[in-house]
Amino acid sequence: MYGFSKFYRYPLPLLILSLWLLAVLLLSDQPAHSQHSVISNKEKYQSTLLVKRIMPSTLTENVRKTVLENGLTVLTKEVHTAPVVTVQVWYKVGSRNEEPGVNGIAHQLEHMMFKGTRNRPIQFGRLFSALGSDSNAFTSYDQTAYYGTVERNKLKALLVLEADRMQNSQIEPEQLASEKRVVISELQGYENSPEYRLNRAVMQAVFPNHAYGLPVGGTKADVEKFEVEQVEKYYRNFYNPDNAVLVIVGDFQTANTLETIKETFGKIPRGQEGGRGSRGSRGAEEQRSRGAEEQRSRGESLYSSSPIVLREPGVGRLLQVVYPLPDANQPDVPALDVMDYILTEGRNSRLYQALVESGLASEVTASVTSLRESGWYEVLVTAGSKQDLKKIDSMLSSAIANVAEKGVTSEEVEQAKTQLIADVILSNRDITSQAMRLGTDETTAGDYRYTDRYLADVRLVRPTDVVNVINKYLTKEARTVGFFEPTQKLITEVSDKPDSAQTTENFSPLAPVLPSEVMKYLPPVDLATDAIAQVLPQEFKFTNGLRILLLPDRSTPTVTLSGHIQAGTEFDPDNKAGLAAFVAENLLNGTNNKDVLNIAKVLAERGASLDFQTHREGVHIEGDSLAEDLPILVEVLADVVKNSTFPVKELELHRQQTLTDLQLELDEPSEVARRIFVQSIYPKKHPLHTFPTEESLQQIQRQDVIDFKAKHYRPDTTVLALVGDFDLDKVRSLIKNEFGDWEVSGQAPTLKYPTVSMPEKIVSVNPVLPDKTQAVTYMGYTGINRYDSRFHAALVLNQILGGDTLSSRLGAEVRDRQGLSYGIYSYFQAGKNAGTFLIEMQTSPEDSSKAIASTREILQQIHQQGVTALEVETAKRTLISNYNVSLANPEELTDRILMNEVYGLDKVELHSFTDKIQKVTLDQVNQAARELLHPEQIVVVTAGPSVLAEKNIR
């Protein structure tokens, strides 16, 4: 549910989750394209072009900043494109304010903020769910943030809840003990990752005297020692209005909302002066300098030329290099970000060419992190099979030195600037993301207008600036290097022959969650939802069978493209599993018209993205671009799906990368559990049973790829959906011109899934992954398809059972009350064919058996006793509100339009879905519970450490 943030490539981290990010930059002029035949000064022209493409409008032109008498900073921005609003509270406290011994206390407090207040002694996640709010929280280095996005008529209710927990949160001993177990389970999940462990060791070496060197989430040793008084003191010190920023973006009226804010937050007193002191508040550079002086006085070298080497269980060799950088407000930051794009963004980037194209590495990623007191540049390299880390490190250093010596071209700089700015625009298209940007800028850089200034400075970056920052910061003396050398034998496959064992339980049904308690503490709200504009996509079908759905949306100067091709993993041959993905992932590697580098360059020059992801029932296409670059995006898409040639060199490079990825996946408990879970449900020869193995990937030949592509990539099994700033007729004509000559012959291949019976008894399987610290469990069996008459009732049932990790029956009992799992969810995966019902959870190894038993008790309870009318009404309201909120996100909206067409649903389903949910009755939900929940016929797979093998999973 909650967590701490990771960081994006551009300046100030927007927080994980690929999160949401919706836009606000408005483009005005059309770009000057290649019709300018003679350009005397290319660099000057390209800078002018970039300025025109990225407008005079700004991210913050409609933002109003208000500071209340008690010091609360309020940022409001009206966006009236959809009847939704986001409310976010950002506290200026994070792991930066910690020290060894209390590492992770900010993260622990974030968890406790959901536990209730003196006025509302109830799990706040249940209140947010009842409102239909898409809510969560995260802890980072410089801040802790709480956010929720709802329909606009619930704005005041969110403000009331946030104001309540700003001043009235309770830290109870029993709840702290439970939530500490949850946090430890979360940390154990991170500890499963060699990348996380390596990063922790390197960062401690980079920042030995500053809290930036501590892991954001804390350590198990420190978390175990937290006492109520410590957490309460942190709460009193830092959770005050004068240390907080309230951000509201969406469909509201500023004047009225400010009055409500004064009413709800204005009476909260300021914090005590001087209460926020912390060693982390001192400047990082000052502390590094002080540490350096101490080392020099002892005659020691500040930087070690030897890498930090972790020889620990795991698979895959990793190289991590970290260079210290200045804080976010230093003038070098824009040039550093441009440098990063030149070094690592895309197939044409310098480090990709030096490391991946050469076969030394399977992947190279990097990011610039710019924070309040310091920053760093991190490069992470996953070694290719049997490649030496010292050799890779040497090549990395040589490649960077070569850039510093020979410089970068004007073309590289302008391309990087275009990509960077387009990324900022495309990642800020929804109101949640816009608010995230404002909150991050205000709490990290001290100015919500930071990104505006940053983008203006990016446009001024020149080649000499890039070389200067490389010479200034990316020196061999400044860097800290870490090697991860795995000690265990590589895993080549996981068993597909699970052992079966029957277990029995003496059920003592738990007391059900009382929805009446939720309604008792829910702030007053007009529960009537706002009407969503009934705008439907226009559908067109070409003579070759290609279907397109177009929905113009002028709210942002961008276009989102989603597509579906019926060429998924269900068509993989038994002995060549992985073939479908092999085809999709190599489409961009060359065509009759362009080689791989040309394709990458065409997209990069426009800051556009195009990706193909293989799923069970199809290949999903994802594309984004600025509005004026849609013709380029469509042209590239048409070229690769029609004319891909699959060059031998690129196929072999991809094979090696895929084999390395497979080894890494089979070291992940979640992936191992998922594989064995699926293979325990579906028998051999079933389309869902097969997974790639080293043997199957080695058997795939180029001709197999060509044949699969020719057989399954057809216009009559392809659907495209586009939402964005375009003219309907022009886009229809554009797609017809590019795809109209895509020929089709014969009938499209089809599959009939065999019927799969339920297991006759409980099947328990425990694949052991040595030395992992967290276990992952999958429970379930075969489920329903999208056309099942019980589909909508099943969605309501699932929301009650495990649709939310805090408010559901499973979440309230297993996660919140007992503290057994960091996250627990249930799903009905329903597609064209019968899908899977599953429950997924992560636990400490010692808690797995109890969590599984409690989960089965809840399944039995609902199966036998059903649910209540109030639970059904609450779940329906949550589903409807979440759905309406999702339609305000262009990516989610485009995907919903696409999949409705793929499933053969009427296009009015886009808006009739909520009506169907509303009509679900209590009897229908309880009937679905009797027919779809089977606690005595369930497959249970738990992947994790060997301690589990000694226990009988029940």
Side-chain angles (χ1 to χ4, degrees):
M1 171 74 178
Y2 350 82
F4 45 86
S5 73
K6 290 183 181 268
F7 295 94
Y8 280 105
R9 300 183 63 91
Y10 22 107
L12 295 178
L14 286 197
L15 148 71
I16 44 187
L17 320 156
S18 2
L19 231 52
W20 330 267
L21 321 190
L22 310 160
V24 36
L25 285 171
L26 299 177
L27 306 190
S28 57
D29 300 337
Q30 291 297 314
H33 288 300
S34 58
Q35 61 263 35
H36 296 261
S37 55
V38 179
I39 302 172
S40 58
N41 188 326
K42 184 176 182 181
E43 182 176 340
K44 180 178 179 180
Y45 162 73
Q46 288 179 326
S47 295
T48 303
L49 171 62
L50 194 63
V51 171
K52 284 186 176 183
R53 286 168 56 79
I54 311 303
M55 89 284 148
S57 301
T58 68
L59 284 163
T60 58
E61 65 178 351
N62 297 322
V63 175
R64 176 174 172 178
K65 181 175 181 177
T66 306
V67 180
L68 303 189
E69 292 183 2
N70 61 6
L72 177 67
T73 297
V74 182
L75 301 176
T76 55
K77 179 178 181 179
E78 294 184 26
V79 180
H80 299 291
T81 55
V84 296
V85 62
T86 188
V87 174
Q88 303 181 2
V89 180
W90 295 66
Y91 295 95
K92 299 175 186 177
V93 57
S95 63
R96 177 180 62 85
N97 305 88
E98 299 172 356
E99 58 188 13
V102 291
N103 181 207
I105 195 167
H107 179 221
Q108 183 70 63
L109 176 56
E110 173 219 315
H111 279 240
M112 298 306 299
M113 288 289 286
F114 284 83
K115 289 294 187 178
T117 67
R118 291 190 297 270
N119 299 328
R120 294 177 174 84
I122 186 174
Q123 165 58 251
F124 263 46
R126 293 171 63 191
L127 297 176
F128 293 135
S129 180
L131 282 175
S133 174
D134 182 8
S135 297
N136 214 318
F138 71 93
T139 301
S140 190
Y141 295 95
D142 291 334
Q143 62 275 113
T144 305
Y146 303 82
Y147 55 94
T149 304
V150 293
E151 295 157 313
R152 64 185 173 194
N153 58 321
K154 299 166 185 173
L155 169 59
K156 183 174 181 179
L158 274 189
L159 292 173
V160 169
L161 292 176
E162 291 296 354
D164 189 17
R165 63 176 174 174
M166 178 180 281
Q167 62 179 330
N168 298 316
S169 287
Q170 296 189 107
I171 315 295
E172 300 290 349
E174 183 178 348
Q175 292 183 335
L176 177 61
S178 171
E179 203 64 27
K180 282 163 61 174
R181 294 178 72 176
V182 171
V183 169
I184 290 170
S185 173
E186 178 183 355
L187 297 180
Q188 288 172 327
Y190 299 124
E191 289 285 346
N192 278 353
S193 167
E195 178 183 330
Y196 174 84
R197 303 199 301 271
L198 178 63
N199 177 263
R200 184 178 60 187
V202 172
M203 289 300 292
Q204 287 174 340
V206 175
F207 294 101
N209 300 306
H210 193 279
Y212 285 161
L214 301 174
V216 173
T219 64
K220 180 181 179 182
D222 283 359
V223 171
E224 286 177 330
K225 293 183 293 186
F226 290 154
E227 300 291 340
V228 169
E229 293 75 16
Q230 287 178 297
V231 182
E232 283 183 333
K233 182 179 179 181
Y234 237 69
Y235 174 62
R236 290 193 301 271
N237 282 350
F238 293 104
Y239 280 58
N240 299 297
D242 50 326
N243 195 46
V245 178
L246 172 63
V247 185
I248 304 175
V249 177
D251 192 13
F252 64 94
Q253 298 299 319
T254 300
N256 294 338
T257 300
L258 285 176
E259 289 302 314
T260 302
I261 291 169
K262 292 175 183 177
E263 175 188 330
T264 52
F265 285 89
K267 298 177 182 178
I268 303 175
R270 286 176 175 267
Q272 295 181 356
E273 292 296 328
R276 300 187 190 116
S278 165
R279 65 170 297 179
S281 63
R282 288 183 286 171
E285 294 302 315
E286 175 187 343
Q287 292 200 39
R288 287 180 62 81
S289 298
R290 187 173 302 169
E293 285 299 324
E294 292 174 358
Q295 286 182 287
R296 276 192 285 269
S297 68
R298 297 193 299 267
E300 300 174 3
S301 171
L302 176 59
Y303 297 102
S304 172
S305 59
S306 301
I308 297 167
V309 181
L310 294 188
R311 291 186 174 89
E312 297 179 353
V315 299
R317 294 180 175 85
L318 300 173
L319 164 68
Q320 186 169 51
V321 182
V322 175
Y323 301 85
L325 296 180
D327 64 77
N329 283 307
Q330 293 300 311
D332 287 334
V333 170
L336 285 163
D337 283 316
V338 173
M339 171 207 75
D340 175 38
Y341 272 67
I342 291 172
L343 290 181
T344 63
E345 178 64 21
R347 294 292 295 261
N348 289 289
S349 63
R350 297 295 189 95
L351 295 185
Y352 189 97
Q353 287 292 309
L355 300 176
V356 181
E357 290 288 350
S358 67
L360 286 173
S362 68
E363 185 178 24
V364 56
T365 60
S367 62
V368 173
T369 298
S370 303
L371 300 179
R372 184 169 177 170
E373 294 180 355
S374 187
W376 57 89
Y377 184 53
E378 172 189 342
V379 181
L380 180 68
V381 183
T382 303
S385 178
K386 301 179 181 178
Q387 296 295 332
D388 181 68
L389 290 177
K390 290 183 179 179
K391 182 179 179 180
I392 295 173
D393 184 34
S394 176
M395 182 62 74
L396 172 66
S397 297
S398 297
I400 293 175
N402 183 61
V403 177
E405 178 183 348
K406 297 183 178 180
V408 296
T409 67
S410 297
E411 183 180 17
E412 283 181 300
V413 171
E414 295 307 318
Q415 180 175 295
K417 287 155 65 172
T418 299
Q419 288 178 289
L420 196 161
I421 295 171
D423 278 351
V424 173
I425 296 171
L426 291 167
S427 67
N428 281 274
R429 287 178 291 171
D430 65 79
I431 61 169
T432 305
S433 303
Q434 293 174 38
M436 283 282 169
R437 174 64 69 180
L438 295 172
T440 301
D441 286 355
E442 183 70 17
T443 55
T444 299
D447 184 0
Y448 70 92
R449 297 164 296 189
Y450 174 87
T451 297
D452 284 341
R453 301 199 317 269
Y454 166 83
L455 290 176
D457 291 340
V458 165
R459 291 193 283 269
L460 301 177
V461 172
R462 297 179 178 276
T464 52
D465 299 322
V466 174
V467 173
N468 287 342
V469 294
I470 292 176
N471 286 324
K472 185 175 181 180
Y473 298 107
L474 269 59
T475 64
K476 210 162 187 180
E477 297 76 23
R479 70 191 196 132
T480 301
V481 180
F483 289 173
F484 180 82
E485 296 277 8
T487 58
Q488 72 186 52
K489 184 179 179 181
L490 294 180
I491 303 170
T492 58
E493 61 180 311
V494 295
S495 170
D496 62 356
K497 241 179 132 181
D499 297 324
S500 297
Q502 176 148 19
T503 64
T504 58
E505 292 291 344
N506 293 318
F507 288 107
S508 53
L510 305 164
V513 175
L514 295 177
S516 58
E517 287 293 294
V518 177
M519 304 312 295
K520 175 181 175 181
Y521 295 113
L522 198 66
V525 62
D526 178 9
L527 295 180
T529 57
D530 289 295
I532 303 295
Q534 300 289 308
V535 180
L536 295 174
Q538 295 293 308
E539 181 177 358
F540 304 97
K541 184 174 182 179
F542 299 138
T543 55
N544 60 6
L546 176 68
R547 290 165 288 163
I548 62 171
L549 297 105
L550 306 177
L551 182 60
D553 175 9
R554 309 290 183 181
S555 61
T556 67
T558 63
V559 176
T560 300
L561 181 151
S562 289
H564 179 94
I565 302 175
Q566 192 174 311
T569 60
E570 61 187 3
F571 291 110
D572 274 348
D574 291 339
N575 63 337
K576 294 178 181 177
L579 176 58
F582 225 75
V583 174
E585 292 163 8
N586 280 278
L587 290 172
L588 290 165
N589 285 345
T591 69
N592 296 326
N593 307 310
K594 297 181 179 69
D595 65 20
V596 59
L597 296 182
N598 283 330
I599 294 172
K601 182 180 179 182
V602 167
L603 293 172
E605 285 176 340
R606 298 290 174 173
S609 66
L610 182 62
D611 187 40
F612 297 87
Q613 297 179 349
T614 312
H615 301 287
R616 178 187 71 175
E617 292 186 337
V619 172
H620 187 71
I621 305 167
E622 294 182 357
D624 291 288
S625 75
L626 300 179
E628 65 251 33
D629 297 325
L630 179 59
I632 301 295
L633 181 64
V634 172
E635 178 186 328
V636 173
L637 173 61
D639 189 25
V640 299
V641 298
K642 294 189 300 182
N643 305 314
S644 50
T645 55
F646 306 108
V648 173
K649 176 186 174 183
E650 302 300 334
L651 280 179
E652 291 309 311
L653 179 62
H654 178 76
R655 189 196 311 275
Q656 295 308 311
Q657 293 171 334
T658 304
L659 288 169
T660 300
D661 290 344
L662 177 63
Q663 297 295 339
L664 297 174
E665 286 177 5
L666 297 184
D667 188 48
E668 289 289 334
S670 59
E671 177 62 21
V672 172
R674 184 179 72 89
R675 282 186 171 223
I676 295 182
F677 171 73
V678 171
Q679 291 179 332
S680 300
I681 295 173
Y682 301 102
K684 287 185 177 181
K685 304 301 181 182
H686 190 283
L688 298 186
H689 182 88
T690 306
F691 284 87
T693 64
E694 180 178 348
E695 181 182 6
S696 71
L697 292 172
Q698 292 284 16
Q699 290 191 35
I700 296 172
Q701 303 300 311
R702 179 170 181 266
Q703 192 59 48
D704 298 322
V705 175
I706 293 172
D707 292 344
F708 187 97
K709 161 71 166 42
K711 183 177 181 181
H712 296 284
Y713 281 67
R714 307 163 51 98
D716 56 344
T717 63
T718 300
V719 182
L720 300 178
L722 290 87
V723 173
D725 187 6
F726 55 75
D727 178 89
L728 198 71
D729 293 333
K730 288 181 180 179
V731 171
R732 178 188 177 189
S733 177
L734 168 68
I735 295 176
K736 184 176 181 180
N737 288 339
E738 295 294 342
F739 288 91
D741 61 349
W742 192 7
E743 298 179 354
V744 61
S745 61
Q747 296 297 313
T750 59
L751 274 178
K752 185 176 181 180
Y753 282 28
T755 301
V756 177
S757 59
M758 296 287 296
E760 296 181 359
K761 55 187 178 181
I762 298 169
V763 178
S764 296
V765 191
N766 177 208
V768 174
L769 279 76
D771 301 297
K772 294 299 180 183
T773 55
Q774 186 193 59
V776 176
T777 297
Y778 278 72
M779 306 172 64
Y781 36 76
T782 188
I784 60 176
N785 64 30
R786 178 62 181 81
Y787 315 107
D788 194 295
S789 61
R790 300 165 294 183
F791 174 74
H792 296 93
L795 292 182
V796 176
L797 170 65
N798 185 73
Q799 181 65 28
I800 296 168
L801 171 65
D804 182 275
T805 199
L806 290 179
S807 63
S808 65
R809 290 271 191 106
L810 290 174
E813 178 62 25
V814 179
R815 188 239 182 266
D816 197 49
R817 191 182 74 80
Q818 298 187 49
L820 298 176
S821 174
Y822 168 58
I824 181 167
Y825 298 91
S826 62
Y827 313 86
F828 282 96
Q829 297 176 331
K832 284 185 174 181
N833 297 283
T836 306
F837 167 72
L838 65 92
I839 297 169
E840 176 186 4
M841 71 178 87
Q842 307 92 40
T843 60
S844 296
E846 60 270 20
D847 290 335
S848 296
S849 296
K850 187 175 181 180
I852 292 168
S854 294
T855 298
R856 287 187 53 222
E857 287 177 1
I858 293 170
L859 286 173
Q860 186 79 307
Q861 181 186 86
I862 297 179
H863 172 73
Q864 293 179 342
Q865 301 175 14
V867 298
T868 67
L870 192 50
E871 282 181 304
V872 169
E873 292 307 310
T874 301
K876 286 159 57 174
R877 189 163 57 246
T878 300
L879 290 170
I880 290 170
S881 181
N882 286 342
Y883 182 83
N884 288 336
V885 167
S886 76
L887 295 185
N889 184 319
E891 292 184 353
E892 293 190 50
L893 172 61
T894 311
D895 281 344
R896 289 187 185 278
I897 291 171
L898 173 75
M899 295 314 295
N900 285 345
E901 178 65 24
V902 170
Y903 292 141
L905 305 174
D906 193 295
K907 61 183 180 180
V908 300
E909 175 72 15
L910 185 64
H911 298 294
S912 64
F913 173 83
T914 54
D915 293 333
K916 294 176 181 178
I917 292 293
Q918 186 59 52
K919 291 176 181 177
V920 171
T921 66
L922 173 63
D923 288 342
Q924 289 172 332
V925 175
N926 284 333
Q927 180 180 350
R930 291 190 296 272
E931 296 175 354
L932 299 178
L933 300 184
H934 305 283
E936 298 290 354
Q937 298 171 280
I938 194 167
V939 172
V940 181
V941 177
T942 300
S946 57
V947 64
L948 290 168
E950 301 167 6
K951 296 188 176 184
N952 185 22
I953 297 177
R954 295 183 179 272

